[in-house]
Amino acid sequence: MATTEGCLVASTNRGCKAITQGSGATSVILRDGITRAPCVRMNSAKEAAELKLWCEMPANFATLKHAFESTTGFGKLLSVEPT
């Protein structure tokens, strides 16, 4: 876990200890991958909402893909899920 939030690390450690002292846990990998979530700062909530709607339009995906892939020789934009 990469964080500087001490309370989060302590809470996670307590949870891991409880699981270990209990009957343990079993996990399954459903999908393996890496996500990168660029952050875009807008001047207002209205602009942010308009950008979200624009990003969700399938016709705009090619524009986004070209823009984001122009910044790397390795990364590929596979999908867009604005929040």
Side-chain angles (χ1 to χ4, degrees):
M1 179 184 319
T3 182
T4 57
E5 188 178 340
C7 293
L8 178 59
V9 173
S11 176
T12 300
N13 285 339
R14 287 191 300 273
C16 290
K17 183 177 180 181
I19 291 170
T20 301
Q21 290 179 343
S23 58
T26 302
S27 65
V28 177
I29 297 174
L30 300 176
R31 186 174 73 173
D32 189 18
I34 297 174
T35 60
R36 295 289 179 261
C39 178
V40 180
R41 178 173 280 175
M42 305 304 291
N43 290 323
S44 69
K46 182 179 183 291
E47 284 184 13
E50 290 169 352
L51 178 61
K52 179 184 185 304
L53 293 173
W54 186 88
C55 289
E56 291 174 333
M57 296 173 70
N60 296 326
F61 182 77
T63 302
L64 287 168
K65 183 174 179 64
H66 176 73
F68 282 103
E69 290 182 4
S70 71
T71 65
T72 177
F74 303 100
K76 300 295 177 202
L77 184 65
L78 302 178
S79 65
V80 176
E81 298 175 21
T83 58

